[in-house]
Amino acid sequence: MIRVGIVGATGYSGVELIRLLSGHPQVRIERLYSSSAEGTELASVFPHLEQIALPTLMSIDPAAMAQETDVVFLAAPAGVSKELTPQLLAAGGRVIDLSGDFRLLSGELYRAWYGKEPAADEHLAQAVYGLNEWNQEQVKRARLVANPGCYPTAALLGLLPLAKSGWVAPNSWIIDAKSGVSGAGRGVALGVHYSEVNENVSAYKVGRHQHTPEIEQELSRQTGIETIIQFTPHLIPMTRGILVTAYGQLTKPVDMSELQHLYESTYADKPFVRVRQPGSHPRTKEVYGSNYCDIALHLDERTGRVIVLSVIDNVVKGAAGQAVQNMNTMFGLEETAGLSLTPVYP
Amino acid sequence: MIRVGIVGATGYSGVELIRLLSGHPQVRIERLYSSSAEGTELASVFPHLEQIALPTLMSIDPAAMAQETDVVFLAAPAGVSKELTPQLLAAGGRVIDLSGDFRLLSGELYRAWYGKEPAADEHLAQAVYGLNEWNQEQVKRARLVANPGCYPTAALLGLLPLAKSGWVAPNSWIIDAKSGVSGAGRGVALGVHYSEVNENVSAYKVGRHQHTPEIEQELSRQTGIETIIQFTPHLIPMTRGILVTAYGQLTKPVDMSELQHLYESTYADKPFVRVRQPGSHPRTKEVYGSNYCDIALHLDERTGRVIVLSVIDNVVKGAAGQAVQNMNTMFGLEETAGLSLTPVYP
Amino acid sequence: MIRVGIVGATGYSGVELIRLLSGHPQVRIERLYSSSAEGTELASVFPHLEQIALPTLMSIDPAAMAQETDVVFLAAPAGVSKELTPQLLAAGGRVIDLSGDFRLLSGELYRAWYGKEPAADEHLAQAVYGLNEWNQEQVKRARLVANPGCYPTAALLGLLPLAKSGWVAPNSWIIDAKSGVSGAGRGVALGVHYSEVNENVSAYKVGRHQHTPEIEQELSRQTGIETIIQFTPHLIPMTRGILVTAYGQLTKPVDMSELQHLYESTYADKPFVRVRQPGSHPRTKEVYGSNYCDIALHLDERTGRVIVLSVIDNVVKGAAGQAVQNMNTMFGLEETAGLSLTPVYP
Amino acid sequence: MIRVGIVGATGYSGVELIRLLSGHPQVRIERLYSSSAEGTELASVFPHLEQIALPTLMSIDPAAMAQETDVVFLAAPAGVSKELTPQLLAAGGRVIDLSGDFRLLSGELYRAWYGKEPAADEHLAQAVYGLNEWNQEQVKRARLVANPGCYPTAALLGLLPLAKSGWVAPNSWIIDAKSGVSGAGRGVALGVHYSEVNENVSAYKVGRHQHTPEIEQELSRQTGIETIIQFTPHLIPMTRGILVTAYGQLTKPVDMSELQHLYESTYADKPFVRVRQPGSHPRTKEVYGSNYCDIALHLDERTGRVIVLSVIDNVVKGAAGQAVQNMNTMFGLEETAGLSLTPVYP
């Protein structure tokens, strides 16, 4: 049994990790850590977890954590991981970090987009970007996995086959993304107040969302072409789900069957990516509670553009589920272990 | 492996049966039947099921069905089962009926509340009311289980311990229930139009909902006292979940610890009933996607009333989940087989 | 023109007062006051108000306020009004208080249910309970109106005709209320976090909500019979609207037409109460954005109970709209001035 | 008083016309027409309208309609108006058509995008496209106004200043639109079933929505440059509201103040267009129930694109409100008569 520890168990990603890991046949949830809620029983905060036997929340002590666990999931806000991860690694631990602290290779970019001090370059260099479908080999050998952001997961899985094909002008990509509110986490704020969000839709952080350089970095890395994209997130009155609608300008004529074949062959052996019928319109509810990413392709001959639709559950494939998938890969397990979740519909 | 067949796979209960049964270790979904959609692949209607290998929809033929399956789940509208069930039983089949056709012992009551012709008395007499926590012994020997209605499940699990205790005046029970929209099924109608339901709440069928006699029958049967209750359903702008708020007039002074003990001891060995802390307020989201029924008790000394709060996921514990639980009991399996579902939160 | 001042303009009741008063032909919004946001332009907080010329937020100075305005609306949290109102009255001002500070005649009850120190008895004695349809004469002469709570408004308008008729056992009333989230105000808290409220329903404060004694006081006062009621509020995943479902035990046989006549005659000259057809099910959306209270009656002959359904928009009739209605009465204007709002549907 | 008639009063646009026109000081709702519900009282379908005195629904007779009314609003599905409008015009009537039947000048385009037979060219030629802010002079003289579609209204008001400026490459426009469900009308269908729409988001009709040629036609007409755009509509789990997020490639360097000035000066005397602060993110709730279109501009110097955000209430500015605005213009009234609606917030 893999002994896992979780930091940030009182957040939405943390509680979802518990849902997934408590049903994982090769895992034991050994420790739950918290900097603020030491001594708390999680079921007192989340009564829906009452039937699961869980350890009491413990304080954070990197040396002990590396000892007591085989891997630590960090589901804490940006900035926490930066401090904790180097200590865990130094103590011999393995880390899957769900924050943005180790996703960007360039500390300068982190500073510019996150408005915080980055981790040291030597630590950034240790991280493997855990977009499992594309970096599985590196993840296998990783001691530190930077679990991708929710938007980048949906965007990159949707765009990479085409980006690598060279059929789309790299800097033409416009990624218009729609997210449920859980992506903002469990912290209270006016921006997540029910009466402010319900029966309402808006864009936010136009041109300055911190997932922009993450998408650009991975597109550039996978294609070898420095890529600048347009990314706009929107807040949708729903709890879970991300839909990415991405527009790319074709550089040569392609037909639908080529496009479809490109995606089907790329993801043929990837159990969590489902390439949908040409011209279909995947809905976020169709992946609700599951680790799937459903992708559909549209070719608009009038405009010479391809439109990629990509949906995930931001809490699963966009966070906890992908983290478990990465753990499976790191420990040589079946990729789907603990993740055979049929979407909850309706 | 138990070979199951499902009638009504294109409805919400049917599709939820597939979610649950496809993950059940001792079950094979052998057949899907439909009177109208013969030849259809279910994934073309429900793309979220694409990864599950499922049989093509077949036409209904009771003799063949009894042959090809060990048990048939009937997830069809009221009226269909009445015709089909006797033929399935006659052909040697076993049936779990999710409709209301075999819940009421009295054909006359059925006629009065459903406004349709009832099944024949001889067939009604064969049915076991599948409120598993209370009728498990009978379910074990049943060939026909009438799976309880969604409201009666939440209401009866919440009320029965107190009703049997004699501490509450039987006819004083007022059951004010709140349900998500999925309880109305997948059929289109103005009453389930998004723009009519969203940002809206209303009562419906006050004093005349067909689940009223079902609740009364089981309260009466379990207590031996003919009981008349007040039941009011409400439509809530959400997809899944039922909350029952039930008010009973105490006939003698009790204290909270007695009440709590009554419930905890009654349900001590019932894995799907979670008696919550005294004075807590269970929320439907805390059982979302799971087979749990969470119950909390409140004692109002000012008024001499007990208030019982009871929540379920109407599609799981109120329909498909309870049906699988009944199948487990009928076939001598672990009660929780295929039903170890942690609520999806948030 | 009546010069009005508003304290608490950055809350939901305050901003709704502005919507209503800015369209009122005999009113000028003279001053907006705030203890914390002095100097702010309201449109910077609420861009939807940009087209309305509004005064800059000013600090609170009771003497000046009484001078500069003809009436002050206090839309501040419980506890603020208690301090401010006596000073405003002493300075010669008139006050319509939307908080709970002056609704209960008994300071002791306030202390017990609100958990705070009450206003002095001499000030409590000055307040008129502003349930306009029932206390219009007193409101005409009031210098201090305690604007009713949202739940009490829906409950009392629904219950009073029957309560006064003597046809219902006074202590049998069970009031099961369902409210949208805006009733909790604009303050941030986990309880109003979108991801916690959406796709969720729960009861709260069972047996101990502070609107309970308010309803009891007014029922008792109007009927002359000391009355104890059962009141349970529920949080519904919607922004606006309250539905009250109230159950009363009949003390004698009545028929539907008597009931209907009782309500129709009681409210014949009340423009904001609409008695709906017998047996109908009013929906909150049908009063959305308006000052109406729609009421429907159900008689359940099986149980001997009457069920009263009553819906309001909690922000309008349950707060700002009723406050404007009271202002109209205090100043001798048409009751409906500034309140001719057709519900926004859908 | 202007005598108005409404065809299609039982739909959402029809019922909103009644809300607006019943409060219009210079209008009398003279007739309601229906092809299917003759003899019905509208309040029996929409109890929220009970307090408004309305004529009984009458059958459709063009000659009588032209006689009895000064203007007829056609709020019927596409295809109905095509038949009725020529008869009304021939009988001397005036028409404001809310359907798509007279928006496209080219019958061929209509046939291609609507999949139906178009109106005759001679009748198409009579129609004035009622984007009031841009075509006010023509609307003044019109006998037939084709009221713009909901998406085109939000898109065109957002794009036209820039499109005319020449600062954006015409064919670079990508319009990603998000709409509430009421835009689909009141007809029942699986696509508007609450359980299918709630907690869900999806694109639909990618590359083939019938509002595409309408937007292109008006951009082309106003700029004199044949323009092809990319348009993608999305269904959002809310009732009212449209947000357009539009991306345009700048053809020359501009700065934010130029952009802002362009919009502010263009709409300086347009009471229903509110140009918001640079870099703001308008939310649909901020125009809820009102006739406003709020527009905000973003300049992304990294990508050389301008992003235009534009929000309307699809039922008001996107349908009934704009229709009333056009009526005001046709009859020489104040543009804002009957339309001084403050957004309902929250």
Side-chain angles (χ1 to χ4, degrees), chain A residues 113 171-178 195-208 212 216 228-232 234 236-243 245 247 249 279 281-286 288 298 300 302-305 307 309 311 345-346, chain D residues 113 171-178 195-208 212 216 228-232 234 236-243 245 247 249 279 281-286 288 298 300 302-305 307 309 311 345-346:
Chain A
W113 289 84
N171 292 356
S172 76
W173 283 113
I174 291 177
I175 299 167
D176 190 285
K178 294 89 181 167
S195 304
E196 299 286 321
V197 174
N198 180 46
E199 193 63 10
N200 207 350
V201 66
S202 69
Y204 65 101
K205 289 192 181 180
V206 171
R208 54 193 178 76
T212 309
E216 290 176 344
I228 290 177
I229 53 109
Q230 189 76 50
F231 171 62
T232 309
H234 296 79
I236 304 296
M238 62 183 193
T239 301
R240 286 173 178 241
I242 284 179
L243 164 64
T245 311
Y247 304 86
Q249 194 71 44
H281 300 96
R283 301 182 294 160
T284 55
K285 202 77 204 279
E286 291 162 357
Y288 200 90
H298 291 255
D300 191 333
R302 277 177 11 102
T303 62
R305 290 200 191 87
I307 296 103
L309 303 174
V311 294
Y345 192 92
Chain D
W113 290 84
N171 292 356
S172 75
W173 284 113
I174 291 177
I175 300 168
D176 190 284
K178 296 89 180 165
S195 303
E196 300 287 320
V197 173
N198 180 44
E199 193 65 9
N200 207 351
V201 66
S202 69
Y204 65 100
K205 290 193 181 178
V206 171
R208 53 189 179 80
T212 309
E216 291 176 345
I228 291 177
I229 54 113
Q230 190 76 51
F231 171 63
T232 310
H234 295 78
I236 304 297
M238 61 184 195
T239 301
R240 285 175 179 239
I242 284 179
L243 165 62
T245 311
Y247 304 87
Q249 195 70 45
H281 299 95
R283 302 182 292 161
T284 54
K285 202 78 203 281
E286 291 162 357
Y288 200 90
H298 291 255
D300 192 333
R302 276 177 11 101
T303 63
R305 287 200 193 88
I307 296 102
L309 303 175
V311 294
Y345 192 92

Side-chain angles (χ1 to χ4, degrees), chain C residues 208-256:
Chain C
R208 53 191 179 77
H209 192 282
Q210 68 276 11
H211 286 171
T212 309
E214 182 179 338
I215 299 169
E216 291 176 345
Q217 167 183 290
E218 295 307 309
L219 285 174
S220 303
R221 181 146 60 174
Q222 293 283 349
T223 62
I225 301 166
E226 202 61 32
T227 304
I228 291 177
I229 53 111
Q230 189 76 50
F231 171 63
T232 309
H234 296 79
L235 194 62
I236 304 297
M238 61 183 194
T239 301
R240 286 175 178 238
I242 284 179
L243 165 64
V244 156
T245 312
Y247 303 86
Q249 194 70 44
L250 290 167
T251 53
K252 59 150 219 172
V254 294
D255 63 28
M256 193 62 229

Side-chain angles (χ1 to χ4, degrees), chain B residues 171 176 178 196 199-201 216 230 232 234 239-240 245 247 284-285 300 302-303 305 345, chain C residues 171 176 178 196 199-201 216 230 232 234 239-240 245 247 283-285 300 302-303 305 345:
Chain B
N171 292 356
D176 189 285
K178 295 89 180 166
E196 300 286 321
E199 193 65 8
N200 207 350
V201 66
E216 291 176 345
Q230 189 76 50
T232 310
H234 296 78
T239 302
R240 285 175 179 241
T245 311
Y247 303 86
T284 53
K285 202 77 204 278
D300 192 334
R302 276 178 9 102
T303 62
R305 290 201 191 87
Y345 192 94
Chain C
N171 292 357
D176 191 284
K178 296 88 180 166
E196 301 286 322
E199 193 65 9
N200 207 352
V201 66
E216 291 176 345
Q230 189 76 50
T232 309
H234 296 79
T239 301
R240 286 175 178 238
T245 312
Y247 303 86
R283 301 183 294 160
T284 55
K285 203 75 205 282
D300 191 334
R302 274 177 12 101
T303 62
R305 289 199 192 88
Y345 192 93

Side-chain angles (χ1 to χ4, degrees), chain D residues 47-81:
Chain D
H48 74 280
L49 294 177
E50 203 187 83
Q51 81 288 354
I52 303 178
L54 287 172
T56 305
L57 289 176
M58 292 183 64
S59 62
I60 288 175
D61 172 350
M65 292 163 78
Q67 201 68 33
E68 298 158 356
T69 69
D70 297 310
V71 61
V72 174
F73 291 89
L74 294 182
V80 173
S81 167

Side-chain angles (χ1 to χ4, degrees), chain C residues 92-111:
Chain C
R94 281 202 271 194
V95 173
I96 298 172
D97 179 24
L98 282 76
S99 85
D101 282 4
F102 291 92
R103 293 182 197 147
L104 297 182
L105 284 169
S106 153
E108 206 169 320
L109 268 183
Y110 182 91
R111 193 181 286 111

Side-chain angles (χ1 to χ4, degrees), chain D residues 128-141 145-149 151-166 173 214-215 217-224 259 261-275 291 293 295 297 308 310 312 317 322 325-326 329 335:
Chain D
V128 166
Y129 187 74
L131 189 69
N132 198 288
E133 281 74 11
W134 289 84
N135 293 340
Q136 203 168 58
E137 288 308 309
Q138 297 93 305
V139 170
K140 280 182 191 168
R141 299 183 299 269
V145 167
N147 210 56
Y151 288 122
T153 298
L156 290 167
L157 291 175
L159 267 56
L160 276 173
L162 260 168
K164 292 198 75 163
S165 74
W173 284 113
E214 182 180 338
I215 299 170
Q217 167 183 291
E218 295 306 308
L219 285 174
S220 302
R221 180 147 61 174
Q222 293 283 349
T223 63
L259 269 179
H261 179 259
L262 171 66
Y263 277 72
E264 290 184 354
S265 58
T266 303
Y267 291 123
D269 61 345
K270 297 299 176 187
F272 295 121
V273 178
R274 304 191 294 194
V275 181
N291 201 47
C293 175
I295 298 172
L297 299 161
V308 183
S310 169
I312 60 168
K317 185 62 174 168
Q322 185 161 225
Q325 187 182 354
N326 281 324
T329 299
E335 190 173 341

